[in-house]
């Protein structure tokens, strides 16, 4: 049950209880006053029999009573009676005067044609001058005085007020009811406080305690409230946050380890060419290069090592920028087939010098547009082709390029028939500074950053890169690129059937 529903039920219950208590109190008060549970209205009748009129009405009634005693005939003066009735109208009462069985004056305030039939009989002794009566559902209170006109005819003057059977008594009971209602509300709120404390505040305290543990670094402490309301949802979100923080801390620790490994690898890879350069320079200083041929050899080796050092620094700088997402990509729509044609032509002569045949395997018949930054993509392709050239050991050496596509992406494959890569090395070849043992020699070289850079570039294109290999048979490198879409969002439809 949600907190919103809990609060709604709480306040609804409090309201219902308050109303029931007020109704019960009013009923008990009426029973106490009348002694009769069967007639609730009798309570109001008793009240108005004693106090039928307000103070103003009572004052006007006393004036009329004085006239009835001293100048009874004036109570037949229509103009005078109109004046008194007007005064009574201002306080929402009315005047009625009778002579024998005839009506002398009736206020328009009542609008009751049968009023005279409900008035009491003459009582010239005036034993009861205040009382109440009902006409249907309407309730009236009155004060009356019976007298005799100067000719001996019986007369009566009434000051009548229509009463609400509840309004006046509620006014009288309002202070008591208010105090009672306040007491009920206080008690209900105490109970609600206890309930809300147990169902809301206590879980929040547990969450706060868990937050304190997280602040102290205790990220493995789990909190399971097993609640289906908003507190439970908050706990679920809190737990997700804790898990993400734990993952972040673990990732930071792994990154710290990787940073230490990176520094170690950089130190190793920089030390090797620097040591060679220093060794050949010392040879020159010691006079070992005592002939022009030796001097040229030493200088060429120093130059070559310096180039290797420069290339390593360049690749390390590029990798760092890619890792920090500081290298902007300039994407464009162009033909991947034409792009690969240019790469193959550029590397074909170098491959041929090494006895390697570099050609197409599956070439689409028509253009295959892709979305790519071709300047950075060229580094990926040349790295894969260069990598394949290093590890081909067959008498007939080949490197084959293939392009396959579907409606959403294009897959490029670069396959060689070299020495292959062991299954345990395959998952790691795209990690930085990772080199399989057989490649850790002076003949193949390599910084161990080439494939890591290739992976970052391809992933920056929103694609994937992977490899498959069989030792002694060869290795295939794959990467994917997105195809451009038309205005309707569908991929551009091109023929990707291949020529072999």
């Amino acid at each position: 049950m949600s907190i919103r529903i809990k609060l709604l039920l709480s306040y609804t219950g409090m309201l219902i209880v308050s109303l029931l208590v007020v109704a019960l109190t009013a009923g008990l008060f009426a029973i106490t006053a009348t002694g009769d549970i069967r007639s609730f209205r009798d309570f109001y009748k008793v009240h108005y029999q004693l106090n039928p009129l307000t103070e103003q009405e009572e004052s006007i009634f006393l004036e009329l009573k004085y006239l009835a005693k001293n100048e009874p005939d004036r109570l037949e003066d229509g103009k005078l009676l109109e004046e008194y009735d007007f005064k009574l109208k201002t306080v929402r009462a009315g005047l009625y005067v009778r002579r024998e069985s005839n009506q002398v004056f009736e206020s328009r305030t009542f609008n009751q044609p049968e009023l005279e039939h409900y008035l009491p009989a003459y009582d010239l002794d005036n034993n009861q001058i205040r009382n109440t009566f009902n006409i249907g559902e309407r309730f009236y209170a009155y004060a009356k005085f019976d007298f005799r006109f100067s000719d001996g005819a019986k007369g009566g003057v009434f000051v009548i007020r229509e009463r609400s059977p509840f309004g006046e008594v509620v006014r009288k009971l309002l202070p008591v009811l208010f105090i009672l209602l306040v007491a009920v509300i206080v008690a209900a709120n105490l109970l609600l406080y206890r309930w809300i404390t147990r169902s809301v505040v206590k879980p929040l305290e547990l969450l706060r305690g868990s937050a304190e543990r997280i602040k102290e670094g205790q990220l493995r402490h789990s909190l399971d409230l097993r609640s289906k309301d908003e507190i439970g949802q908050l706990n679920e979100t809190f737990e997700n946050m804790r898990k993400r923080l734990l993952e972040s801390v673990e990732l930071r620790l792994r990154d710290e380890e990787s940073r230490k490994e990176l520094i170690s690898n950089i130190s190793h890879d920089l030390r090797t060419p620097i040591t060679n350069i220093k060794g050949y320079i010392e040879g020159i200083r010691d006079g070992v290069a005592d002939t022009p041929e030796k001097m040229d050899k030493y200088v060429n080796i120093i130059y070559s090592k310096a180039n290797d050092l420069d290339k390593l620094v360049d690749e390390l700088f590029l990798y760092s920028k890619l890792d920090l997402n500081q290298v902007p990509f300039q994407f464009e729509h162009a033909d991947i087939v034409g792009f690969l044609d240019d790469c193959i032509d550029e590397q074909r002569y170098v491959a041929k010098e090494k006895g390697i045949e570099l050609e197409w395997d599956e070439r689409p018949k028509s253009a295959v547009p892709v979305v790519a930054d071709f300047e950075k993509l060229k580094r990926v392709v040349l790295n894969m082709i260069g990598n394949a050239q290093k590890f081909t050991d067959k008498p007939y050496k080949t490197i084959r390029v293939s392009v396959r596509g579907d409606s959403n992406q294009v897959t490029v494959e670069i396959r060689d028939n070299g020495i292959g890569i062991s299954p345990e090395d395959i998952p790691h070849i795209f990690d930085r500074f990772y080199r399989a043992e057989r490649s850790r020699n002076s003949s193949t070289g390599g910084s161990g950053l080439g494939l890591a850079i290739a992976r970052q570039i391809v992933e920056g294109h929103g694609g994937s890169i992977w490899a498959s290999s069989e030792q002694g048979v060869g290795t295939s490198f794959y990467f994917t690129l997105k195809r451009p879409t038309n205005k309707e969002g569908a991929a551009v439809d091109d023929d990707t059937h291949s020529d072999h």
Side-chain angles (χ1 to χ4, degrees), residues 62-272:
L62 291 175
E63 290 182 23
L64 292 167
K65 183 179 176 182
Y66 178 82
L67 287 174
K69 287 181 177 181
N70 298 290
E71 301 177 76
D73 291 341
R74 292 189 66 187
L75 293 178
E76 292 185 287
D77 183 352
K79 187 175 180 180
L80 178 64
L81 296 177
E82 287 283 353
E83 291 177 1
Y84 276 110
D85 185 54
F86 179 76
K87 292 179 182 179
L88 290 171
K89 280 183 179 179
T90 61
V91 290
R92 303 180 67 182
L95 176 63
Y96 186 91
V97 180
R98 66 183 176 179
R99 177 187 173 92
E100 294 294 342
S101 59
N102 299 320
Q103 173 185 300
V104 176
F105 182 86
E106 179 181 355
S107 174
R108 296 178 182 177
T109 304
F110 307 132
N111 193 24
Q112 279 288 358
E114 300 180 355
L115 179 63
E116 60 181 314
H117 301 300
Y118 288 89
L119 295 176
Y122 283 104
D123 177 19
L124 294 174
D125 294 329
N126 291 304
N127 294 318
Q128 187 174 18
I129 63 172
R130 292 175 174 82
N131 210 329
T132 61
F133 64 89
N134 293 81
I135 303 177
E137 294 298 323
R138 301 178 72 173
F139 178 62
Y140 297 90
Y142 67 88
K144 63 101 175 177
F145 184 77
D146 291 332
F147 61 94
R148 287 187 182 275
F149 288 96
S150 60
D151 60 0
K154 291 186 289 186
V157 59
F158 292 81
V159 175
I160 305 173
R161 179 181 181 87
E162 184 174 2
R163 293 287 187 173
S164 166
F166 302 101
E168 198 67 24
V169 175
V170 169
R171 184 179 66 82
K172 298 282 185 182
L173 294 177
L174 186 60
V176 176
L177 294 177
F178 177 77
I179 294 172
L180 182 62
L181 184 60
V182 169
V184 170
I185 291 174
V186 170
N189 274 281
L190 288 174
L191 293 174
L192 288 174
Y193 174 77
R194 178 178 174 82
W195 185 43
I196 295 298
T197 299
R198 295 183 64 182
S199 61
V200 177
V201 178
K202 187 176 179 181
L204 290 177
E205 284 293 323
L206 293 174
L207 281 173
R208 187 189 63 79
S210 186
E212 289 290 336
R213 291 189 182 91
I214 289 177
K215 185 178 72 173
E216 295 170 1
Q218 301 177 26
L219 296 175
R220 298 189 181 278
H221 180 269
S222 176
L223 179 63
D224 184 12
L225 296 178
R226 297 181 181 179
S227 176
K228 298 186 182 297
D229 57 14
E230 286 85 346
I231 298 295
Q233 296 171 7
L234 176 61
N235 175 64
E236 184 179 352
T237 304
F238 188 86
E239 277 296 291
N240 290 335
M241 180 194 70
R242 182 190 64 79
K243 291 175 182 177
R244 293 291 297 274
L245 283 173
L246 180 60
E247 292 172 1
S248 176
V249 170
E250 291 176 344
L251 179 62
R252 183 170 59 83
L253 293 175
R254 288 197 299 269
D255 286 345
E256 182 66 20
E257 291 298 320
S258 298
R259 186 184 65 81
K260 293 178 181 178
E261 182 182 357
L262 176 64
I263 293 173
S264 175
N265 288 327
I266 291 173
S267 301
H268 176 272
D269 282 43
L270 289 176
R271 188 180 294 113
T272 301

